[in-house]
Amino acid sequence: MAPSLAKLMLSNETSLKVLGNSLIMEKVLKYSNAFDIHSFRKTCHGIRTCVDDLKLDPQFEVYVIYMITDKKIDAAARVTGYKTFKSISYEQINDCENIITTVLAVLEMNLKNQKACLEELRLVCSFYEWTVKSKEPLETLIPEKLVPITSEFLAGFKEILKRRSGLLKVKKLNLYSVREEDVMQVLPYLDPKSLEKLQIGDSHWLHGELYHKTDYPESLKISYDIEEMTKTEQWKNLRQVTVNTGILSTPIQKMNLTNCSKIYITSVARITSDDVVYLKENLLTPKLQSCTICFEEFVEDPQLTEFFGQPRYIERAVVVFKRDRRIWYFPIPGANGSMMEIDLDRKLCLENVDSFKYE
Amino acid sequence: MSSTEQGTSSAAPAEPTTAPESAAAPEVPESFYYVHGKDKVVHKVSAGALQHSALIHGMISNLGYTEEQAKANPFPFENIDGDILQMVVDWCNQHKGKPTPPEDTNLPKQKEKLFDLVLAVNYLEIKELLTYCCKQVAMMVKGKSPEEIREIWMIPTDAEDEAAEKEAKKRAGKEAAGETAAAAGDAK
């Protein structure tokens, strides 16, 4: 008898009777994590059908995708109750394959039955292998190679999210190296009640963050407009927002930030006295933790002293083109002695504090 | 408490003991039933131990056998190997009337035996033992790749499955053709 036939007969008699039995398999998978379930699925058709029919929640806690090049994508995930990540690398060997299709197929299979809330979903698009010094200049890499696959990937991801029976629950969404339209492919399709933290960053920011370099080509710095995403229910319910982009053109008063307790934005094109007053009035609540906004230009008209009075602390600029540092304090109503500290120099910081700085 | 008997041995029914007058309630004599597997070896098991099996418990309740009737009519489980049924009976006896512990480390370590036990326990509807067995199966595949799982449990790949099926069909076709030719020869 051929070995394959012997194997088939044995499996038909025992293995498939056990592992293809949904009642038994449900009990076995109760003690298996998502990766073991995935391994079971890949053994054979009979077991795969049995596992899929059970529609088990894989209980992913963190799911990360790094788009390293247009031909290489890494994915890593961690399951609830485990400390380590399990990662998988996808590489496109020949042109007749489509790496995006493969990655999306696995992503859909993994997230299809996810009912538990993901603590973090991180999509690092265009994570280009800058670590391995590319021979090609940066200018040719980003627009020509990375944006199209980012768009293709996120358009596919949007369809996966739309096909799910319920909105995917995610507590923290990190989208790096994305444009505003890329964010809109994901953000509106997540459960607005679960999403608490959003962190977005463009390629410029990612480049600086990874390599601590400031040599990002000026021509590639794009103006960023988040107005559309700030209108979504998901954004309005956020507790923490971090926007790391080149230059953010959206006016501060249109950013719908008043529900947030923690804000970090770098950097906005322009900030005015009215914006500072608006933030002070709307964030002066006990839930405030901190709000930091970097800016390119500050238009102080009228003077802030007209609204806030004299600052408690002034640090005179030693260089002519630099601005004086000024700090104001305002008691937060109902916060048991806590104060809002407004610290303004090259950036604007509003923070919930218990004592004065520089007493 | 349990005994293994070949064929229909004469195990005398337990005599009811006379309860002392001071006792709160008279002690009810334990009833016994008989089961056998593929090897026809009969196992005498108490009703208390058999309560673990929802299938047998249901059968007992419906039949209302007397001790003599039970002895004369052992429950046949032709689909269960004798050694596996012995394991099941032993487990039921060990856990008779006791709360089941969270772990059971006495399960077979050989993979073939474990799968046979899973199938038997699933058939006999012994919930707790099935849970232990399933947990052990899960532990045996923890962290394994699909290839390793295939190797452990002798699972063919889809390609092997297809090839083997084709081979089997081809063989069956040849055998059928041979039989037809032989029949035609006989007819002549």
Side-chain angles (χ1 to χ4, degrees), chain B residues 61-82:
Chain B
S61 315
N62 293 334
L63 290 170
Y65 274 173
T66 62
E67 180 76 23
E68 287 309 311
Q69 285 168 319
K71 201 180 197 181
N73 300 289
F75 295 120
F77 297 111
E78 305 285 353
N79 54 342
I80 301 174
D81 283 342

Side-chain angles (χ1 to χ4, degrees), chain A residues 86-98:
Chain A
K86 184 150 184 171
S87 59
I88 181 163
S89 274
Y90 302 88
E91 207 150 351
Q92 187 169 319
I93 311 291
N94 52 52
D95 287 339
C96 54
E97 299 169 341
N98 186 337

